[in-house]
Amino acid sequence: MATDYAGFIATVEREADVPHDQAERAVTATLATLGERISDGEAHDLAERLPPELRRLIDRHAGDGPRPLSAGEFFQRVQVREQVPIMEAEDHVRAVFAALRETVDPKEIADLASELPRELERLLFDDLPLDDLDDGVAGSSPSSAQDFLARVARRTGLDEDGAQRATDAVLELLAFRLAAGETDDLEQRLPAELHAPLERGKAEKPSPSAHWLPLKPWLIAVAEREGVSRAEARLHVRAVFATLAEAIGDDELEDVTAQLPSEFRALFPRRR
């Protein structure tokens, strides 16, 4: 249980896979925004159950009354406070909520959840993946490889070259993980310019069947190919998977996720 400040921050470090100083920034941004979103009474009750170093973050807005923030607005406020891409802000909120679950008793978690919008309530209880809430990205299918990469870039804050590297690394290692026939099906749904990394991953496979590989070593492999940290790789995977889901449709997405262990599915957007 994360009953003290060090334990709380350590939980966020572990859940978000970030260094100590970034975990502290994520906690500050998330709890300050949470303090704005909930009622004064709930802020006071929650603050009493947190380590002393964190109480001021929740309770400092007392007297202002709750602000009716949607989940999307909540993530955007965290993003602005932390100065990170929107999907990284979402991942950090998820990690801070995990630390809250380890620190606060279930009754208080239930009281807190009752004041939150549905997306945040589900995240608080279940640690479920989030819908994409970055306006102007989610929705229609990417019209071209350039559009695909532009969506990845916006979701991650990468430039065009970075989005290309992230997309290539994720698609290559996804093809390495899937059965060759499923990779062929993916290619039929994606622009021709995105086929090369899929073909490379398929060629590297020891056999045409689905290749067993747990999530952690798979993410490490993505990070190594991309030349980034594992935390950055996780963010990039989520962005590419979100864009991939838009490109291939629900039926093909179901076929892809059926070949992956359940631990991979939290990296895909939640199906509506």
PDB file of all heavy atoms in Angstrom, residues 200-229:
ATOM      1  N   ARG A 200       8.800  -6.194 -42.702  1.00  0.00           N
ATOM      2  CA  ARG A 200      10.034  -6.471 -41.957  1.00  0.00           C
ATOM      3  C   ARG A 200       9.752  -7.318 -40.730  1.00  0.00           C
ATOM      4  O   ARG A 200      10.472  -8.269 -40.429  1.00  0.00           O
ATOM      5  CB  ARG A 200      10.717  -5.159 -41.547  1.00  0.00           C
ATOM      6  CG  ARG A 200      11.359  -4.393 -42.681  1.00  0.00           C
ATOM      7  CD  ARG A 200      12.325  -3.336 -42.162  1.00  0.00           C
ATOM      8  NE  ARG A 200      11.671  -2.338 -41.328  1.00  0.00           N
ATOM      9  CZ  ARG A 200      11.114  -1.218 -41.783  1.00  0.00           C
ATOM     10  NH1 ARG A 200      11.136  -0.962 -43.089  1.00  0.00           N
ATOM     11  NH2 ARG A 200      10.565  -0.344 -40.954  1.00  0.00           N
ATOM     12  N   GLY A 201       8.696  -6.954 -40.003  1.00  0.00           N
ATOM     13  CA  GLY A 201       8.347  -7.730 -38.818  1.00  0.00           C
ATOM     14  C   GLY A 201       7.963  -9.148 -39.155  1.00  0.00           C
ATOM     15  O   GLY A 201       8.349 -10.097 -38.454  1.00  0.00           O
ATOM     16  N   LYS A 202       7.252  -9.308 -40.237  1.00  0.00           N
ATOM     17  CA  LYS A 202       6.843 -10.652 -40.669  1.00  0.00           C
ATOM     18  C   LYS A 202       8.065 -11.482 -41.053  1.00  0.00           C
ATOM     19  O   LYS A 202       8.145 -12.680 -40.752  1.00  0.00           O
ATOM     20  CB  LYS A 202       5.868 -10.524 -41.840  1.00  0.00           C
ATOM     21  CG  LYS A 202       5.184 -11.815 -42.227  1.00  0.00           C
ATOM     22  CD  LYS A 202       3.987 -11.575 -43.133  1.00  0.00           C
ATOM     23  CE  LYS A 202       4.357 -10.870 -44.425  1.00  0.00           C
ATOM     24  NZ  LYS A 202       3.210 -10.825 -45.363  1.00  0.00           N
ATOM     25  N   ALA A 203       9.047 -10.848 -41.719  1.00  0.00           N
ATOM     26  CA  ALA A 203      10.246 -11.567 -42.156  1.00  0.00           C
ATOM     27  C   ALA A 203      11.124 -11.999 -40.983  1.00  0.00           C
ATOM     28  O   ALA A 203      11.855 -12.993 -41.067  1.00  0.00           O
ATOM     29  CB  ALA A 203      11.051 -10.689 -43.110  1.00  0.00           C
ATOM     30  N   GLU A 204      11.082 -11.245 -39.887  1.00  0.00           N
ATOM     31  CA  GLU A 204      11.914 -11.559 -38.721  1.00  0.00           C
ATOM     32  C   GLU A 204      11.346 -12.683 -37.865  1.00  0.00           C
ATOM     33  O   GLU A 204      12.054 -13.218 -37.007  1.00  0.00           O
ATOM     34  CB  GLU A 204      12.069 -10.311 -37.854  1.00  0.00           C
ATOM     35  CG  GLU A 204      12.908  -9.208 -38.479  1.00  0.00           C
ATOM     36  CD  GLU A 204      12.933  -7.958 -37.618  1.00  0.00           C
ATOM     37  OE1 GLU A 204      12.416  -8.014 -36.480  1.00  0.00           O
ATOM     38  OE2 GLU A 204      13.455  -6.931 -38.071  1.00  0.00           O
ATOM     39  N   LYS A 205      10.086 -13.040 -38.089  1.00  0.00           N
ATOM     40  CA  LYS A 205       9.435 -14.050 -37.244  1.00  0.00           C
ATOM     41  C   LYS A 205      10.100 -15.415 -37.413  1.00  0.00           C
ATOM     42  O   LYS A 205      10.468 -15.796 -38.522  1.00  0.00           O
ATOM     43  CB  LYS A 205       7.959 -14.174 -37.602  1.00  0.00           C
ATOM     44  CG  LYS A 205       7.124 -12.979 -37.240  1.00  0.00           C
ATOM     45  CD  LYS A 205       5.742 -13.046 -37.846  1.00  0.00           C
ATOM     46  CE  LYS A 205       4.975 -14.275 -37.414  1.00  0.00           C
ATOM     47  NZ  LYS A 205       4.705 -14.233 -35.960  1.00  0.00           N
ATOM     48  N   PRO A 206      10.241 -16.168 -36.331  1.00  0.00           N
ATOM     49  CA  PRO A 206      10.809 -17.516 -36.458  1.00  0.00           C
ATOM     50  C   PRO A 206       9.864 -18.502 -37.140  1.00  0.00           C
ATOM     51  O   PRO A 206      10.302 -19.533 -37.640  1.00  0.00           O
ATOM     52  CB  PRO A 206      11.070 -17.925 -35.000  1.00  0.00           C
ATOM     53  CG  PRO A 206      10.141 -17.080 -34.190  1.00  0.00           C
ATOM     54  CD  PRO A 206       9.995 -15.788 -34.935  1.00  0.00           C
ATOM     55  N   SER A 207       8.562 -18.192 -37.178  1.00  0.00           N
ATOM     56  CA  SER A 207       7.583 -19.043 -37.861  1.00  0.00           C
ATOM     57  C   SER A 207       6.403 -18.168 -38.259  1.00  0.00           C
ATOM     58  O   SER A 207       6.227 -17.065 -37.718  1.00  0.00           O
ATOM     59  CB  SER A 207       7.112 -20.181 -36.957  1.00  0.00           C
ATOM     60  OG  SER A 207       6.254 -19.700 -35.938  1.00  0.00           O
ATOM     61  N   PRO A 208       5.547 -18.626 -39.196  1.00  0.00           N
ATOM     62  CA  PRO A 208       4.409 -17.806 -39.629  1.00  0.00           C
ATOM     63  C   PRO A 208       3.322 -17.634 -38.573  1.00  0.00           C
ATOM     64  O   PRO A 208       2.451 -16.779 -38.718  1.00  0.00           O
ATOM     65  CB  PRO A 208       3.871 -18.568 -40.851  1.00  0.00           C
ATOM     66  CG  PRO A 208       4.974 -19.480 -41.267  1.00  0.00           C
ATOM     67  CD  PRO A 208       5.690 -19.838 -40.010  1.00  0.00           C
ATOM     68  N   SER A 209       3.349 -18.450 -37.527  1.00  0.00           N
ATOM     69  CA  SER A 209       2.293 -18.378 -36.521  1.00  0.00           C
ATOM     70  C   SER A 209       2.496 -17.181 -35.610  1.00  0.00           C
ATOM     71  O   SER A 209       3.541 -16.528 -35.631  1.00  0.00           O
ATOM     72  CB  SER A 209       2.269 -19.662 -35.696  1.00  0.00           C
ATOM     73  OG  SER A 209       3.503 -19.848 -35.039  1.00  0.00           O
ATOM     74  N   ALA A 210       1.480 -16.897 -34.782  1.00  0.00           N
ATOM     75  CA  ALA A 210       1.601 -15.814 -33.808  1.00  0.00           C
ATOM     76  C   ALA A 210       2.752 -16.123 -32.860  1.00  0.00           C
ATOM     77  O   ALA A 210       2.878 -17.241 -32.356  1.00  0.00           O
ATOM     78  CB  ALA A 210       0.293 -15.653 -33.037  1.00  0.00           C
ATOM     79  N   HIS A 211       3.626 -15.158 -32.648  1.00  0.00           N
ATOM     80  CA  HIS A 211       4.826 -15.361 -31.835  1.00  0.00           C
ATOM     81  C   HIS A 211       4.566 -14.870 -30.423  1.00  0.00           C
ATOM     82  O   HIS A 211       4.268 -13.697 -30.211  1.00  0.00           O
ATOM     83  CB  HIS A 211       6.010 -14.613 -32.453  1.00  0.00           C
ATOM     84  CG  HIS A 211       7.299 -14.838 -31.720  1.00  0.00           C
ATOM     85  ND1 HIS A 211       7.910 -16.064 -31.656  1.00  0.00           N
ATOM     86  CD2 HIS A 211       8.089 -13.985 -31.017  1.00  0.00           C
ATOM     87  CE1 HIS A 211       9.024 -15.964 -30.952  1.00  0.00           C
ATOM     88  NE2 HIS A 211       9.147 -14.710 -30.541  1.00  0.00           N
ATOM     89  N   TRP A 212       4.716 -15.744 -29.439  1.00  0.00           N
ATOM     90  CA  TRP A 212       4.459 -15.382 -28.038  1.00  0.00           C
ATOM     91  C   TRP A 212       5.527 -14.410 -27.565  1.00  0.00           C
ATOM     92  O   TRP A 212       6.724 -14.657 -27.691  1.00  0.00           O
ATOM     93  CB  TRP A 212       4.479 -16.628 -27.170  1.00  0.00           C
ATOM     94  CG  TRP A 212       4.131 -16.342 -25.745  1.00  0.00           C
ATOM     95  CD1 TRP A 212       2.882 -16.249 -25.211  1.00  0.00           C
ATOM     96  CD2 TRP A 212       5.043 -16.087 -24.681  1.00  0.00           C
ATOM     97  NE1 TRP A 212       2.963 -15.954 -23.870  1.00  0.00           N
ATOM     98  CE2 TRP A 212       4.268 -15.839 -23.517  1.00  0.00           C
ATOM     99  CE3 TRP A 212       6.428 -16.026 -24.601  1.00  0.00           C
ATOM    100  CZ2 TRP A 212       4.849 -15.561 -22.296  1.00  0.00           C
ATOM    101  CZ3 TRP A 212       7.017 -15.735 -23.375  1.00  0.00           C
ATOM    102  CH2 TRP A 212       6.221 -15.510 -22.240  1.00  0.00           C
ATOM    103  N   LEU A 213       5.096 -13.273 -27.009  1.00  0.00           N
ATOM    104  CA  LEU A 213       6.010 -12.288 -26.446  1.00  0.00           C
ATOM    105  C   LEU A 213       5.234 -11.435 -25.467  1.00  0.00           C
ATOM    106  O   LEU A 213       4.281 -10.767 -25.854  1.00  0.00           O
ATOM    107  CB  LEU A 213       6.608 -11.412 -27.551  1.00  0.00           C
ATOM    108  CG  LEU A 213       7.757 -10.472 -27.146  1.00  0.00           C
ATOM    109  CD1 LEU A 213       8.978 -11.271 -26.709  1.00  0.00           C
ATOM    110  CD2 LEU A 213       8.129  -9.558 -28.314  1.00  0.00           C
ATOM    111  N   PRO A 214       5.599 -11.442 -24.179  1.00  0.00           N
ATOM    112  CA  PRO A 214       4.873 -10.639 -23.187  1.00  0.00           C
ATOM    113  C   PRO A 214       5.023  -9.146 -23.463  1.00  0.00           C
ATOM    114  O   PRO A 214       5.907  -8.713 -24.207  1.00  0.00           O
ATOM    115  CB  PRO A 214       5.540 -11.026 -21.864  1.00  0.00           C
ATOM    116  CG  PRO A 214       6.269 -12.292 -22.138  1.00  0.00           C
ATOM    117  CD  PRO A 214       6.672 -12.240 -23.572  1.00  0.00           C
ATOM    118  N   LEU A 215       4.174  -8.360 -22.824  1.00  0.00           N
ATOM    119  CA  LEU A 215       4.134  -6.926 -23.089  1.00  0.00           C
ATOM    120  C   LEU A 215       5.442  -6.234 -22.733  1.00  0.00           C
ATOM    121  O   LEU A 215       5.949  -5.416 -23.515  1.00  0.00           O
ATOM    122  CB  LEU A 215       2.976  -6.288 -22.312  1.00  0.00           C
ATOM    123  CG  LEU A 215       2.834  -4.772 -22.447  1.00  0.00           C
ATOM    124  CD1 LEU A 215       2.620  -4.374 -23.900  1.00  0.00           C
ATOM    125  CD2 LEU A 215       1.695  -4.258 -21.572  1.00  0.00           C
ATOM    126  N   LYS A 216       6.008  -6.516 -21.560  1.00  0.00           N
ATOM    127  CA  LYS A 216       7.193  -5.764 -21.120  1.00  0.00           C
ATOM    128  C   LYS A 216       8.361  -5.906 -22.090  1.00  0.00           C
ATOM    129  O   LYS A 216       8.917  -4.887 -22.537  1.00  0.00           O
ATOM    130  CB  LYS A 216       7.602  -6.181 -19.704  1.00  0.00           C
ATOM    131  CG  LYS A 216       8.762  -5.357 -19.161  1.00  0.00           C
ATOM    132  CD  LYS A 216       9.050  -5.702 -17.710  1.00  0.00           C
ATOM    133  CE  LYS A 216      10.212  -4.876 -17.172  1.00  0.00           C
ATOM    134  NZ  LYS A 216      10.478  -5.174 -15.739  1.00  0.00           N
ATOM    135  N   PRO A 217       8.771  -7.140 -22.465  1.00  0.00           N
ATOM    136  CA  PRO A 217       9.875  -7.231 -23.435  1.00  0.00           C
ATOM    137  C   PRO A 217       9.501  -6.680 -24.807  1.00  0.00           C
ATOM    138  O   PRO A 217      10.359  -6.184 -25.537  1.00  0.00           O
ATOM    139  CB  PRO A 217      10.198  -8.727 -23.495  1.00  0.00           C
ATOM    140  CG  PRO A 217       9.028  -9.414 -22.894  1.00  0.00           C
ATOM    141  CD  PRO A 217       8.424  -8.460 -21.919  1.00  0.00           C
ATOM    142  N   TRP A 218       8.223  -6.744 -25.149  1.00  0.00           N
ATOM    143  CA  TRP A 218       7.771  -6.163 -26.420  1.00  0.00           C
ATOM    144  C   TRP A 218       7.953  -4.645 -26.398  1.00  0.00           C
ATOM    145  O   TRP A 218       8.455  -4.055 -27.359  1.00  0.00           O
ATOM    146  CB  TRP A 218       6.318  -6.542 -26.667  1.00  0.00           C
ATOM    147  CG  TRP A 218       5.800  -6.192 -28.027  1.00  0.00           C
ATOM    148  CD1 TRP A 218       5.896  -6.935 -29.162  1.00  0.00           C
ATOM    149  CD2 TRP A 218       5.085  -4.993 -28.394  1.00  0.00           C
ATOM    150  NE1 TRP A 218       5.282  -6.279 -30.221  1.00  0.00           N
ATOM    151  CE2 TRP A 218       4.789  -5.093 -29.782  1.00  0.00           C
ATOM    152  CE3 TRP A 218       4.681  -3.861 -27.705  1.00  0.00           C
ATOM    153  CZ2 TRP A 218       4.102  -4.100 -30.465  1.00  0.00           C
ATOM    154  CZ3 TRP A 218       3.996  -2.862 -28.384  1.00  0.00           C
ATOM    155  CH2 TRP A 218       3.703  -2.984 -29.753  1.00  0.00           C
ATOM    156  N   LEU A 219       7.566  -3.992 -25.298  1.00  0.00           N
ATOM    157  CA  LEU A 219       7.753  -2.549 -25.172  1.00  0.00           C
ATOM    158  C   LEU A 219       9.236  -2.177 -25.158  1.00  0.00           C
ATOM    159  O   LEU A 219       9.641  -1.156 -25.732  1.00  0.00           O
ATOM    160  CB  LEU A 219       7.086  -2.036 -23.895  1.00  0.00           C
ATOM    161  CG  LEU A 219       5.564  -1.904 -23.922  1.00  0.00           C
ATOM    162  CD1 LEU A 219       5.049  -1.553 -22.532  1.00  0.00           C
ATOM    163  CD2 LEU A 219       5.113  -0.864 -24.931  1.00  0.00           C
ATOM    164  N   ILE A 220      10.046  -2.988 -24.521  1.00  0.00           N
ATOM    165  CA  ILE A 220      11.492  -2.740 -24.518  1.00  0.00           C
ATOM    166  C   ILE A 220      12.033  -2.801 -25.941  1.00  0.00           C
ATOM    167  O   ILE A 220      12.862  -1.974 -26.342  1.00  0.00           O
ATOM    168  CB  ILE A 220      12.209  -3.745 -23.601  1.00  0.00           C
ATOM    169  CG1 ILE A 220      11.848  -3.471 -22.133  1.00  0.00           C
ATOM    170  CG2 ILE A 220      13.719  -3.688 -23.800  1.00  0.00           C
ATOM    171  CD1 ILE A 220      12.356  -4.523 -21.163  1.00  0.00           C
ATOM    172  N   ALA A 221      11.546  -3.766 -26.718  1.00  0.00           N
ATOM    173  CA  ALA A 221      11.989  -3.879 -28.103  1.00  0.00           C
ATOM    174  C   ALA A 221      11.572  -2.662 -28.922  1.00  0.00           C
ATOM    175  O   ALA A 221      12.338  -2.162 -29.754  1.00  0.00           O
ATOM    176  CB  ALA A 221      11.430  -5.157 -28.729  1.00  0.00           C
ATOM    177  N   VAL A 222      10.347  -2.159 -28.693  1.00  0.00           N
ATOM    178  CA  VAL A 222       9.907  -0.941 -29.378  1.00  0.00           C
ATOM    179  C   VAL A 222      10.822   0.224 -29.006  1.00  0.00           C
ATOM    180  O   VAL A 222      11.270   0.995 -29.869  1.00  0.00           O
ATOM    181  CB  VAL A 222       8.437  -0.613 -29.028  1.00  0.00           C
ATOM    182  CG1 VAL A 222       8.051   0.763 -29.589  1.00  0.00           C
ATOM    183  CG2 VAL A 222       7.493  -1.670 -29.578  1.00  0.00           C
ATOM    184  N   ALA A 223      11.102   0.366 -27.718  1.00  0.00           N
ATOM    185  CA  ALA A 223      11.957   1.464 -27.250  1.00  0.00           C
ATOM    186  C   ALA A 223      13.340   1.394 -27.876  1.00  0.00           C
ATOM    187  O   ALA A 223      13.904   2.417 -28.277  1.00  0.00           O
ATOM    188  CB  ALA A 223      12.055   1.423 -25.721  1.00  0.00           C
ATOM    189  N   GLU A 224      13.906   0.189 -27.970  1.00  0.00           N
ATOM    190  CA  GLU A 224      15.241   0.039 -28.540  1.00  0.00           C
ATOM    191  C   GLU A 224      15.250   0.381 -30.027  1.00  0.00           C
ATOM    192  O   GLU A 224      16.160   1.065 -30.504  1.00  0.00           O
ATOM    193  CB  GLU A 224      15.737  -1.394 -28.324  1.00  0.00           C
ATOM    194  CG  GLU A 224      16.071  -1.697 -26.872  1.00  0.00           C
ATOM    195  CD  GLU A 224      16.449  -3.150 -26.654  1.00  0.00           C
ATOM    196  OE1 GLU A 224      16.216  -3.972 -27.581  1.00  0.00           O
ATOM    197  OE2 GLU A 224      16.961  -3.469 -25.570  1.00  0.00           O
ATOM    198  N   ARG A 225      14.242  -0.058 -30.767  1.00  0.00           N
ATOM    199  CA  ARG A 225      14.183   0.255 -32.194  1.00  0.00           C
ATOM    200  C   ARG A 225      14.008   1.757 -32.421  1.00  0.00           C
ATOM    201  O   ARG A 225      14.540   2.315 -33.369  1.00  0.00           O
ATOM    202  CB  ARG A 225      13.035  -0.503 -32.856  1.00  0.00           C
ATOM    203  CG  ARG A 225      13.403  -1.900 -33.329  1.00  0.00           C
ATOM    204  CD  ARG A 225      12.176  -2.644 -33.832  1.00  0.00           C
ATOM    205  NE  ARG A 225      12.502  -3.855 -34.533  1.00  0.00           N
ATOM    206  CZ  ARG A 225      12.924  -4.987 -33.991  1.00  0.00           C
ATOM    207  NH1 ARG A 225      13.104  -5.024 -32.678  1.00  0.00           N
ATOM    208  NH2 ARG A 225      13.186  -6.054 -34.722  1.00  0.00           N
ATOM    209  N   GLU A 226      13.253   2.384 -31.527  1.00  0.00           N
ATOM    210  CA  GLU A 226      12.947   3.795 -31.704  1.00  0.00           C
ATOM    211  C   GLU A 226      14.016   4.705 -31.093  1.00  0.00           C
ATOM    212  O   GLU A 226      14.117   5.883 -31.454  1.00  0.00           O
ATOM    213  CB  GLU A 226      11.588   4.088 -31.050  1.00  0.00           C
ATOM    214  CG  GLU A 226      10.856   5.241 -31.651  1.00  0.00           C
ATOM    215  CD  GLU A 226       9.549   5.515 -30.935  1.00  0.00           C
ATOM    216  OE1 GLU A 226       8.993   4.597 -30.304  1.00  0.00           O
ATOM    217  OE2 GLU A 226       9.112   6.672 -31.002  1.00  0.00           O
ATOM    218  N   GLY A 227      14.803   4.147 -30.165  1.00  0.00           N
ATOM    219  CA  GLY A 227      15.812   4.945 -29.495  1.00  0.00           C
ATOM    220  C   GLY A 227      15.244   5.889 -28.457  1.00  0.00           C
ATOM    221  O   GLY A 227      15.723   7.020 -28.296  1.00  0.00           O
ATOM    222  N   VAL A 228      14.227   5.421 -27.709  1.00  0.00           N
ATOM    223  CA  VAL A 228      13.580   6.239 -26.687  1.00  0.00           C
ATOM    224  C   VAL A 228      13.464   5.426 -25.405  1.00  0.00           C
ATOM    225  O   VAL A 228      13.766   4.225 -25.376  1.00  0.00           O
ATOM    226  CB  VAL A 228      12.179   6.712 -27.143  1.00  0.00           C
ATOM    227  CG1 VAL A 228      12.282   7.573 -28.392  1.00  0.00           C
ATOM    228  CG2 VAL A 228      11.243   5.511 -27.396  1.00  0.00           C
ATOM    229  N   SER A 229      13.008   6.061 -24.324  1.00  0.00           N
ATOM    230  CA  SER A 229      12.777   5.350 -23.068  1.00  0.00           C
ATOM    231  C   SER A 229      11.537   4.461 -23.192  1.00  0.00           C
ATOM    232  O   SER A 229      10.715   4.635 -24.092  1.00  0.00           O
ATOM    233  CB  SER A 229      12.578   6.337 -21.924  1.00  0.00           C
ATOM    234  OG  SER A 229      11.335   7.011 -22.071  1.00  0.00           O
TER     235      SER A 229
END
